[in-house]
Amino acid sequence: MKRSLLAALLAACAGSGEGAPEPGAGSLDDFVALAQPVLEGRCANPSCHGNAARPLSLYAVHRFRLEPGALWLDAPLSERELRHNFRQASVFVEGASEPERVRLLLKPLSARAGGGGHAGVEVFAERDDYGYRALLAWVEAAFEGGGR
């Protein structure tokens, strides 16, 4: 039985929202280890995705936070903030037939590397960029865990 990739990803976050999902491919643990550092470092600037008005909004240390009082503090992201980022990124994985075709990877990839370009900014100049490869690893884990 084929399940939707998004359904599989969100299933990892199902429940009360307080307990950690089970570790495994495509899990929150995979996201935190592979994707979160890239998204936080390259995408969560307040002028980009570090604000609530963006379709992909991301929380980050020293930037946009769930609790306004935590803004600019060294406090690590809460589990709720990490789950938010996980869910946000997961939406941009849904609908692709293969890992390298997901919007989360194509949108920030330079046009010369086969991507869509991103508001005149090359987040990933090439497919061998470390950040691109880290996001791809998370997406591949999600595909493996999603029954694809």
Side-chain angles (χ1 to χ4, degrees), residues 15-72:
S16 68
E18 298 303 317
E22 292 296 316
S27 71
L28 179 62
D29 291 340
D30 290 332
F31 175 81
V32 170
L34 297 166
Q36 176 63 28
V38 175
L39 295 173
E40 186 167 335
R42 297 203 189 179
C43 307
N45 185 295
S47 65
C48 296
H49 298 286
N51 73 63
R54 302 303 294 238
L56 172 63
S57 65
L58 299 167
Y59 294 119
V61 175
H62 297 280
R63 296 183 181 153
F64 179 52
R65 299 299 297 263
L66 180 62
E67 298 298 327
L71 187 67
W72 308 117

Side-chain angles (χ1 to χ4, degrees), residues 63-140:
R63 296 183 181 153
F64 179 52
R65 299 299 297 263
L66 180 62
E67 298 298 327
L71 187 67
W72 308 117
L73 296 181
D74 288 332
L77 294 182
S78 69
E79 184 173 331
R80 285 183 62 206
E81 289 169 321
L82 290 170
R83 285 177 185 276
H84 166 87
N85 288 357
F86 176 74
R87 288 181 182 118
Q88 289 281 302
S90 296
V91 169
F92 288 87
V93 172
E94 178 65 15
S97 59
E98 58 189 67
E100 291 186 348
R101 302 300 311 160
V102 304
R103 290 183 304 168
L104 188 69
L105 291 167
L106 288 177
K107 181 76 173 173
L109 183 63
S110 71
R112 74 175 177 282
H118 190 58
V121 176
E122 288 186 356
V123 179
F124 306 123
E126 301 293 334
R127 291 179 187 261
D128 65 354
D129 179 284
Y130 176 81
Y132 176 89
R133 289 184 296 127
L135 282 180
L136 177 60
W138 174 66
V139 169
E140 288 173 338

